[in-house]
Amino acid sequence: MTIRAVVWGENIHERTNEVVAGIYPEGMHTTIANALNADKAISASTATLEQPEHGLPESHLAETDVLVWWGHKDHGAVADEVVERVARRVWEGMGLIVLHSGHFSKIFKRLMGTPCTLKWREAGERERLWVTSPSHPIAEGIGEFFEIEYEEMYGEQFAVPEPLETVFISWFQGGEVFRSGLTYRRGAGNVFYFRPGHETYPTYHDATVQKVLRNAVKWAHNLQGAKPSILSAPNVPVEKALEPIVERGGKLHAPGEAGFR
């Protein structure tokens, strides 16, 4: 089965900054999608902020197995309605990969429930990413570590919940370290945060970074499909209890009535 991925990009820096436009003339989202499409198991398309509904209407998300998210300059412009729409799909089982400055995106903060703050420095430092979970599917074929010659520094403390697994830890020339590859599960959906990807450096042209992204899409894909029932909270009638029971005491709701939310 081909994994249907959508790469969502803010697509602002590519159109307003000459340095970024020179590195990603077709946009970072297109470069990432092309890297994913190099794997025959993945079919990747793109969506951007300026499109109607940010390119993520209900119908499109319903056909998306894994959503890859990159944002930076204008997180606030993403409509809350779309954020909630994406969150519901993640809870139902859609995979989500959040890249670099997407740590401050509405959707990542919504799913983490924390500030997602960190230290940073934009100085073109060498980043060495150590593989801390070598048996994890996202790290398949990566080796002990890999390096990116020019990157923005992110440093701890990273204010996120404790992950299921830490796949990568970064070291930077300035001495800081950072948990750069974190996995989570939210509802039925797999979530992966991957740190590299500052827009003024050619990170997404790097072959190893591209391999990590392809691995991550395959890992995030939920083979069991959507679980929409996770969003329901049914009022189970007495007569449908698994064992015979007699109703006792007062209650707030009539039979079949929905609960308070």
Side-chain angles (χ1 to χ4, degrees):
M1 180 185 296
T2 302
I3 301 170
R4 301 166 299 179
V6 173
V7 180
W8 189 90
E10 205 175 57
N11 196 33
I12 295 177
H13 292 294
E14 300 96 314
R15 294 180 293 139
T16 60
N17 184 287
E18 291 183 2
V19 174
V20 182
I23 299 170
Y24 299 106
E26 297 181 280
M28 282 179 285
H29 52 288
T30 301
T31 299
I32 295 169
N34 289 343
L36 297 180
N37 283 323
D39 191 314
K40 293 181 180 179
I42 302 171
S43 176
S45 59
T46 64
T48 55
L49 177 66
E50 73 272 15
Q51 294 175 328
E53 299 183 73
H54 310 319
L56 300 173
E58 293 273 9
S59 57
H60 196 20
L61 281 174
E63 298 176 348
T64 301
D65 298 315
V66 180
L67 178 62
V68 182
W69 191 281
W70 192 101
H72 188 192
K73 185 175 175 60
D74 205 0
H75 297 305
V78 178
D80 292 341
E81 178 184 355
V82 174
V83 174
E84 290 304 307
R85 183 183 301 165
V86 172
R88 289 194 300 270
R89 281 290 292 124
V90 172
W91 293 330
E92 289 177 351
M94 182 184 73
L96 177 66
I97 300 170
V98 177
L99 302 175
H100 190 60
S101 45
H103 71 91
F104 265 161
S105 64
K106 286 183 177 180
I107 183 58
F108 192 60
K109 291 195 290 185
R110 174 73 172 87
L111 294 173
M112 296 298 105
T114 58
C116 302
T117 48
L118 46 81
K119 296 176 184 175
W120 62 281
R121 181 173 55 244
E122 192 178 14
E125 299 172 54
R126 182 183 304 113
E127 177 180 5
R128 181 176 297 138
L129 293 98
W130 289 94
V131 176
T132 54
S133 183
S135 61
H136 198 284
I138 293 176
E140 182 181 354
I142 302 302
E144 259 194 315
F145 67 89
F146 66 98
E147 293 185 347
I148 301 172
E149 186 61 30
Y150 299 97
E151 253 299 349
E152 180 182 20
M153 183 278 291
Y154 279 7
E156 297 288 344
Q157 180 190 7
F158 190 16
V160 290
E162 191 67 20
L164 288 174
E165 293 177 284
T166 299
V167 184
F168 303 110
I169 289 180
S170 289
W171 168 90
F172 295 88
Q173 279 183 284
E176 290 87 357
V177 296
F178 191 77
R179 291 168 292 162
S180 285
L182 305 178
T183 69
Y184 296 92
R185 183 162 294 114
R186 292 295 182 263
N190 295 318
V191 179
F192 179 57
Y193 173 76
F194 187 46
R195 196 219 69 83
H198 189 59
E199 56 270 31
T200 61
Y201 310 123
T203 300
Y204 294 123
H205 293 291
D206 182 271
T208 306
V209 170
Q210 292 182 357
K211 182 171 182 58
V212 170
L213 294 175
R214 289 190 290 268
N215 288 349
V217 166
K218 292 177 181 179
W219 169 83
H221 181 215
N222 186 343
L223 294 173
Q224 296 183 0
K227 304 288 184 184
S229 61
I230 198 170
L231 299 175
S232 65
N235 180 353
V236 181
V238 170
E239 61 271 18
K240 290 190 177 181
L242 296 178
E243 301 291 341
I245 58 172
V246 176
E247 186 175 313
R248 300 186 295 178
K251 60 182 182 180
L252 294 173
H253 299 282
E257 184 181 6
F260 301 121
R261 294 203 186 194

